[in-house]
Amino acid sequence: MNGEKPIEGERKVFMTGNEVVAWGALAAGAEIMYGYPITPQNEIMHYWARLGPKFGKRFLQTEDELSAGFTTIGGVLTGKRAFTATAGPGNVLMQEPLSMAEAMRIPTVVVIQQRGGPSTATVIYSQQEVTLTCFGGNGEGLRVVYATASHQELFDYTIKAFNTAWRYRFPAFILGDGYQAKMRESLVIYDPAARGIEMISPEPLVGKTGVPGTDREAAHLRNAFSVEEELLHALGDDIEEYERVAPEIIEYDAFNTTEADLLVVAHGVVFRSVAMAVRELVNQGERVGYFRPITLRPFPGTQLREAAQGAEQLLVVESAYGQLNKLVLENLYGSNVPVRTLFRPGVGITPEEVNEECRALLAGKEA
Amino acid sequence: MEILPKMPKSWNPASKPHKFCPGCGHGLVLKALGQAIDELGIQDRLVFGCDIGCSLLAWDFFNVDTVQTHHGRTTPVMVGIKRARPELVTVAYMGDGGGYAIGSQHLVNAATRNDIITCILVNNTNYAMTGGQMAPTTIPGQKTETTPYGRDVAEAGYPMLGPEMVATISHEGAYVARGSVAKFRQLKGYLKKALENQMAGRGFSFIEALSTCPTNWRTNAEQTWAFVEETMPKYFPLGELKFPGGKEE
């Protein structure tokens, strides 16, 4: 089976989000996964460990998430598409290796299936790992974070994350959650080539051919510097490049923004409730729209400001206590549009709740 | 005519003289490793990983592909490399704090998984880069910045016996030894066998190298040598503890 494509053409399937991620990584040509068990991401490893050997793929179960992150870095350094997946407290530990990946421009791919926090909390669902995933580690958040809202997106963006990471050499994340991880949904899985998606070829950063010092220069990769200016020089270049490529990476979705008195902002699976509620309200003649950042890093700030221009008020909806809202406020600085919030940290939000909140705000009452 | 000792071919002449303190043992361990690399002809397929602490100063020491990692995390990076590209020869180079304290879970699990990598741990009985604090290897009574009255075993415990632990938990095919910069040829032999063990795909290889730190020990040349040659082996006996390829004479 080695060398055979995991998916020929395309196929309609009905599966859990974790299974989707495993298939997405297979379709993307990932070669090795490193991982440590934590709910709700476990089945990504389960499916990868089962499916992988059929296609010559490898898996290593590590001793913790520190090791899962650092072994992933090792795999990436050799020029292989390597990835890992985690959640919650595992995401906390994962930030140490990922700050190294960020510092050294190592194109790691990490799938985060958010669970409730702080601490161990619940193994079910939340949107409380936004700040951690976007800005974790002792760094500047030079990373790409895709917040998916459906199983189709989990598949699409798993493939895209490998390409983004290897094209731009910034760590790439899929930010899912326990609901997306565990529920079943129908989607189309496909061979990227069948859709005209060209996979960026990885290249080795160590273990290149030839004798170092004779045939080529040795790779001397480091993240420690002796003096401040040295760091500023290296980091300054990275920041400049991140800012330069950000417009190419940024993705968002918006609806009815020019006709909206009330603009609702949400990301991830909560966005689905928002989309459903907003479309229903619009069908009933209400002046509502939505804005959804798909990339939380880099954030579509300019696009949000444009979308918010005609609105009388904004409503930020999230299953966290203001982690998305911080990003929204930062990017709206200087605008005087009032920002209302619907925060449900660690619990799901239904279209009915969004609908009710919108109606109250449109009627001039704060819910 | 002045004749300089020959540098190993695998050394990077551009980074010499090296960055370690005068009298530091790292240079000797890395010289022994350089000679072993040369003799085995593996400069083109070796990946050298160095930890945080003084070992990070080796980030450009060799003309081999090198990655400087985080404190205690060199072992998993090398495991990740080896798992993805088994044809490469990987060396995780670390200090006693990195290997026995903050990264001890990685050492234990790499050993029990029988990862085909080579770990070299430099034991100089203290955290040197950070200014001479107690390490897992600080010997009873030894004064450090965090044991200013000497390491009291009732409060601060006993020195970690790394190779003994690794020899106990590792499996058939593992190679485990403790050498010393005071016995250079023996140390070089151990390092070479540790690399050969990996190249033969037999199993995990672990070498502890007793080393010197006159800066933090606050010792002169004579005292430094006496400490590494006479005192340290009383707590950390030299020799091979596991040797699938045959015992070093």
Side-chain angles (χ1 to χ4, degrees):
Chain A
M1 296 275 275
N2 208 337
E4 192 179 308
K5 280 191 172 183
I7 308 164
E8 295 287 349
E10 59 179 62
R11 212 160 85 209
K12 190 155 172 117
V13 294
F14 181 66
M15 52 174 69
T16 65
N18 282 336
E19 190 176 358
V20 169
V21 170
W23 279 103
L26 280 173
E31 286 169 274
I32 185 162
M33 179 187 187
Y34 307 85
Y36 183 80
I38 189 166
T39 309
Q41 71 79 22
N42 296 309
E43 296 82 4
I44 298 176
M45 299 188 301
H46 300 177
Y47 283 106
W48 180 267
R50 264 187 229 188
L51 292 165
K54 297 178 184 169
F55 304 101
K57 313 290 184 181
R58 295 178 176 150
F59 173 69
L60 175 66
Q61 183 167 330
T62 59
E63 58 273 23
D64 58 21
E65 287 87 354
L66 293 166
S67 183
F70 281 105
T71 48
T72 301
I73 283 174
V76 171
L77 286 173
T78 68
K80 305 281 185 191
R81 288 189 195 92
F83 76 109
T84 185
T86 190
N91 193 4
V92 174
L93 291 183
M94 197 65 81
Q95 293 308 316
E96 192 204 321
L98 291 168
S99 74
M100 173 164 151
E102 191 178 313
M104 298 168 82
R105 306 286 300 273
I106 299 167
T108 49
V109 170
V110 182
V111 181
I112 308 292
Q113 300 288 32
Q114 297 169 94
R115 52 187 272 170
S119 186
T120 313
T122 63
V123 296
I124 307 165
Y125 161 85
S126 91
Q127 293 190 313
Q128 295 165 289
E129 296 173 50
V130 167
T131 306
L132 184 63
T133 307
C134 290
F135 298 103
N138 55 338
E140 303 293 344
L142 305 181
R143 27 178 92 181
V144 179
V145 180
Y146 293 112
T148 58
S150 69
H151 285 33
Q152 189 63 59
E153 287 186 357
L154 272 179
F155 187 79
D156 297 346
Y157 283 98
T158 298
I159 293 169
K160 187 175 256 183
F162 284 100
N163 268 352
T164 302
W166 282 98
R167 178 178 284 125
Y168 300 107
R169 303 292 172 100
F170 291 109
F173 296 80
I174 312 296
L175 188 66
D177 58 69
Y179 286 180
Q180 293 186 65
K182 299 279 191 179
M183 71 178 173
R184 268 176 208 279
E185 199 163 84
S186 52
L187 71 150
V188 176
I189 60 173
Y190 51 82
D191 169 19
R195 295 273 178 107
I197 299 170
E198 193 193 327
M199 295 308 297
I200 307 285
S201 297
E203 52 179 274
L205 304 173
V206 299
K208 293 179 259 193
T209 49
V211 181
T214 308
D215 307 326
R216 62 174 175 92
E217 289 204 356
H220 287 134
L221 312 176
R222 61 166 172 163
N223 52 64
F225 300 96
S226 305
V227 293
E228 291 172 351
E229 287 72 16
E230 242 181 335
L231 168 65
L232 182 64
H233 182 71
L235 183 58
D237 287 351
D238 290 346
I239 291 172
E240 199 182 292
E241 194 169 344
Y242 186 81
E243 296 292 348
R244 186 173 60 76
V245 300
E248 297 170 24
I249 297 172
I250 280 170
E251 291 186 41
Y252 68 99
D253 186 12
F255 168 69
N256 206 36
T257 53
T258 50
E259 307 298 320
D261 293 341
L262 173 65
L263 183 71
V264 190
V265 184
H267 76 96
V269 81
V270 169
F271 161 74
R272 290 170 71 162
S273 292
V274 165
M276 197 181 274
V278 167
R279 286 182 185 276
E280 193 179 292
L281 287 164
V282 167
N283 286 341
Q284 292 160 1
E286 300 290 350
R287 293 179 59 81
V288 192
Y290 66 66
F291 184 87
R292 171 207 174 191
I294 296 172
T295 49
L296 296 179
R297 279 294 286 163
F299 194 86
T302 312
Q303 294 82 354
L304 173 66
R305 288 176 73 91
E306 270 170 31
Q309 233 162 26
E312 287 165 13
Q313 52 186 336
L314 250 64
L315 172 64
V316 177
V317 186
E318 58 176 313
S319 293
Y321 197 69
Q323 300 196 23
L324 171 66
N325 195 43
K326 275 182 202 152
L327 296 172
V328 168
L329 293 178
E330 180 197 355
N331 283 283
L332 283 180
Y333 180 76
S335 151
N336 52 12
V337 58
V339 178
R340 321 291 182 193
T341 58
L342 177 61
F343 296 157
R344 295 275 186 275
V347 295
I349 299 173
T350 63
E352 291 73 23
E353 287 173 290
V354 179
N355 189 306
E356 194 183 323
E357 189 75 16
C358 288
R359 284 196 177 281
L361 289 171
L362 287 164
K365 297 175 292 191
E366 283 219 38
Chain B
M1 193 177 85
E2 191 187 6
I3 298 172
L4 291 170
K6 219 173 136 195
M7 269 189 210
K9 181 184 162 286
S10 53
W11 275 23
N12 173 17
S15 65
K16 306 295 171 297
H18 61 61
K19 306 175 180 81
F20 298 101
C21 300
C24 171
H26 271 288
L28 284 169
V29 181
L30 295 170
K31 183 176 182 179
L33 178 61
Q35 289 179 357
I37 293 167
D38 288 356
E39 286 170 25
L40 294 168
I42 52 173
Q43 194 182 349
D44 61 336
R45 72 203 108 115
L46 191 98
V47 181
F48 179 74
C50 55
D51 218 73
I52 294 302
C54 297
S55 64
L56 88 85
L57 298 175
W59 71 274
D60 61 352
F61 197 96
F62 292 106
N63 257 333
V64 304
D65 286 349
T66 302
V67 53
Q68 169 253 313
T69 77
H70 280 194
H71 192 30
R73 314 299 174 215
T74 306
T75 298
V77 173
M78 293 301 119
V79 167
I81 288 174
K82 189 71 181 185
R83 293 276 176 162
R85 294 262 305 271
E87 77 277 14
L88 298 173
V89 179
T90 60
V91 172
Y93 187 72
M94 69 200 82
D96 34 30
Y100 295 154
I102 195 167
S104 54
Q105 77 273 39
H106 308 310
L107 178 60
V108 166
N109 285 281
T112 52
R113 279 194 307 257
N114 203 28
D115 272 301
I116 318 293
I117 64 168
T118 300
C119 290
I120 302 170
L121 186 145
V122 175
N123 172 357
N124 60 8
T125 74
N126 80 112
Y127 285 83
M129 178 65 92
T130 46
Q133 297 84 7
M134 180 182 72
T137 47
T138 297
I139 66 174
Q142 187 181 350
K143 285 182 181 168
T144 70
E145 291 299 329
T146 50
T147 55
Y149 306 105
R151 182 175 190 165
D152 175 2
V153 294
E155 196 163 298
Y158 290 87
M160 171 96 175
L161 297 172
E164 286 78 359
M165 185 268 289
V166 174
T168 304
I169 63 171
S170 59
H171 306 278
E172 204 182 325
Y175 177 75
V176 184
R178 183 187 281 116
S180 169
V181 296
K183 288 197 170 187
F184 183 84
R185 262 172 294 186
Q186 182 193 56
L187 175 64
K188 197 197 94 180
Y190 292 168
L191 293 174
K192 194 173 168 184
K193 283 169 74 174
L195 291 170
E196 284 171 331
N197 200 50
Q198 177 180 173
M199 290 160 72
R202 279 193 290 256
F204 186 69
S205 306
F206 180 72
I207 305 295
E208 182 184 285
L210 302 187
S211 184
T212 53
C213 183
T215 302
N216 288 296
W217 291 351
R218 293 171 170 81
T219 47
N220 63 24
E222 222 168 86
Q223 294 162 332
T224 302
W225 206 249
F227 194 77
V228 70
E229 195 173 35
E230 291 157 28
T231 309
M232 286 176 71
K234 288 178 193 158
Y235 298 91
F236 309 113
L238 303 183
E240 293 178 297
L241 290 95
K242 218 164 190 173
F243 37 88
K247 197 169 160 71
E248 180 86 1
E249 293 310 327

